[in-house]
């Protein structure tokens, strides 16, 4: 009787979640060729073609869709068994850097379950712009960092892809003003170069309304109809409207949310938190 290889199933899950051999390879710290070979071994083992490959990426075949849920359950069971045997050994401090917007809108969906599962792990959080967090990570001041960057230049393990949107007060008029009043999370906001470039291409003059690194300040300013802002769709605070194309504001480049961690993987506590972060974003994709 054949036995399924958990490692092959895990690789399959990463390819299915990212829809990309290269992004899966980044996550797994493997070459793209090695990922492709593992998928071929899995297909040979089950006797089915699991993926359709195209220039635009990969997609699941009907057989791949059937395997996906079963593979996820089996890998989760494997990880749960191992975790139950090693939880007591996982301890220490993990220094995690998170962009301001994700700190407010994403982190509450990630940390509570992790803190409950790993009570002996202490998390030290640093909020900042992705530019600032990258510098801190490269300097060794962070163990893990969640980074926002243009999709074409993203580094690290891909967690999600989103196209930034323009948001403003419901029934507000700030979006109609010229120069366009804008507020971004900080002067070094990862979205700023894209925003400035696309507004210039659209011949829209703009002015900065507030320069304070806080999502609360951004939300309050936009709620008061003093400005509009550009955010990832999943980070738009409740009460703000996302503008459609009729507003005449330019389309912005797609952004990646990526996880940066040391090439060697880091401590057991860091690895456990990294896996929790991956799982949370995989869950978001499954829901959406």
């Amino acid at each position: 009787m054949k036995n399924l290889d958990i490692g092959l199933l895990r690789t399959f899950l990463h390819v299915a979640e990212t829809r990309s051999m290269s992004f899966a390879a980044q996550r797994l710290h493997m070459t793209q060729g090695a990922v492709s070979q593992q998928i071929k071994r899995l297909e040979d083992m089950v006797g089915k073609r699991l993926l359709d490959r195209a220039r635009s990426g990969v997609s699941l075949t009907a057989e791949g869709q059937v395997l996906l849920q079963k593979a996820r359950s089996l890998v989760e069971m494997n990880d749960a068994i191992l975790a139950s045997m090693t939880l007591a050994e996982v301890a220490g401090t993990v220094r995690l850097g998170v962009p301001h917007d994700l700190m407010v809108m994403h982190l509450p969906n990630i940390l509570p379950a992790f803190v409950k599962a790993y009570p002996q792990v202490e998390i030290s959080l640093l909020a900042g712009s992705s530019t600032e967090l990258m510098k801190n990570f490269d300097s060794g001041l962070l163990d893990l960092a969640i980074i926002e960057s243009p999709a074409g230049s993203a580094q690290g393990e891909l967690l999600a892809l989103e196209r930034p949107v323009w948001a403003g007060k419901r029934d507000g008029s700030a979006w109609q003003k010229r120069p366009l009043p804008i507020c971004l999370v900080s002067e070094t906001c990862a979205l700023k170069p894209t925003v400035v470039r696309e507004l210039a291409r659209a011949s829209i003059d703009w002015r900065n309304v507030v320069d304070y690194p806080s999502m609360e300040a951004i939300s309050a300013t936009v709620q008061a109809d003093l400005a509009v802002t550009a955010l990832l769709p999943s980070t738009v605070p409740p009460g703000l409207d996302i503008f459609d194309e009729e507003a005449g504001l330019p389309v912005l480049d797609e952004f990646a949310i990526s996880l940066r961690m040391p090439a060697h993987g880091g401590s057991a506590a860091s690895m456990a938190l990294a896996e929790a972060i991956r799982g949370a974003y995989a869950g978001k994709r499954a829901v959406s």
Side-chain angles (χ1 to χ4, degrees):
M1 180 178 290
K2 294 180 180 180
N3 292 315
L4 287 170
D5 186 322
I6 295 295
L8 299 183
L9 292 176
R10 194 183 302 277
T11 298
F12 170 70
L13 289 179
H14 283 294
V15 174
E17 289 168 0
T18 62
R19 296 296 195 270
S20 166
M21 292 284 191
S22 60
F23 281 134
Q26 290 178 25
R27 279 189 173 190
L28 294 163
H29 302 289
M30 297 165 60
T31 66
Q32 186 170 337
V35 170
S36 182
Q37 289 175 8
Q38 290 205 356
I39 295 299
K40 180 65 166 57
R41 284 175 56 197
L42 182 61
E43 289 180 327
D44 290 343
M45 181 175 290
V46 300
K48 303 288 185 181
R49 186 166 56 87
L50 303 173
L51 299 173
D52 284 325
R53 298 160 176 81
R55 286 187 177 182
S56 58
V58 298
S59 59
L60 295 176
T61 63
E63 291 80 4
Q65 291 283 2
V66 171
L67 179 61
L68 180 61
Q69 294 303 322
K70 297 179 183 298
R72 183 174 287 125
S73 297
L74 188 55
V75 171
E76 288 176 352
M77 183 180 297
N78 172 84
D79 294 347
I81 292 172
L82 290 177
S84 68
M85 304 298 292
T86 59
L87 281 180
E89 302 172 13
V90 179
T93 299
V94 183
R95 301 166 299 174
L96 172 64
V98 185
H100 295 285
D101 54 343
L102 303 188
M103 180 79 77
V104 174
M105 302 302 289
H106 286 194
L107 215 57
N109 298 321
I110 298 173
L111 291 187
F114 177 83
V115 170
K116 184 177 180 180
Y118 296 92
Q120 297 189 64
V121 175
E122 295 183 0
I123 301 175
S124 176
L125 291 172
L126 175 65
S129 70
S130 290
T131 302
E132 296 164 344
L133 295 176
M134 281 287 293
K135 290 180 180 178
N136 281 287
F137 177 80
D138 291 338
S139 300
L141 299 177
L142 292 172
D143 302 303
L144 301 171
I146 302 176
I147 301 296
E148 299 165 331
S149 60
S153 60
Q155 299 180 29
E157 302 177 21
L158 178 70
L159 297 173
L161 287 170
E162 295 191 37
R163 187 175 299 279
V165 294
W166 294 97
K169 177 179 171 58
R170 236 162 242 171
D171 302 321
S173 60
W175 63 276
Q176 297 174 310
K177 297 177 181 178
R178 298 295 183 272
L180 181 69
I182 294 176
C183 57
L184 299 172
V185 177
S186 73
E187 180 63 28
T188 57
C189 174
L191 272 63
K192 185 172 182 178
T194 296
V195 167
V196 172
R197 183 184 67 249
E198 296 306 322
L199 286 174
R201 287 179 177 174
S203 299
I204 298 176
D205 293 330
W206 64 279
R207 63 183 179 87
N208 189 48
V209 174
V210 63
D211 185 12
Y212 183 75
S214 162
M215 274 297 291
E216 290 77 9
I218 296 301
S219 182
T221 303
V222 177
Q223 287 277 17
D225 201 26
L226 298 177
V228 299
T229 188
L231 295 168
L232 299 182
S234 65
T235 67
V236 175
L240 299 187
D241 266 355
I242 295 175
F243 298 125
D244 57 26
E245 294 181 2
E246 293 182 1
L249 299 176
V251 175
L252 302 174
D253 292 341
E254 193 172 46
F255 266 63
I257 301 175
S258 304
L259 176 65
R260 292 296 307 275
M261 59 187 299
H264 57 78
S267 66
S270 294
M271 294 290 284
L273 180 55
E275 190 58 34
I277 292 170
R278 293 187 192 102
Y281 278 94
K284 284 170 64 70
R285 286 194 297 274
V287 170
S288 59

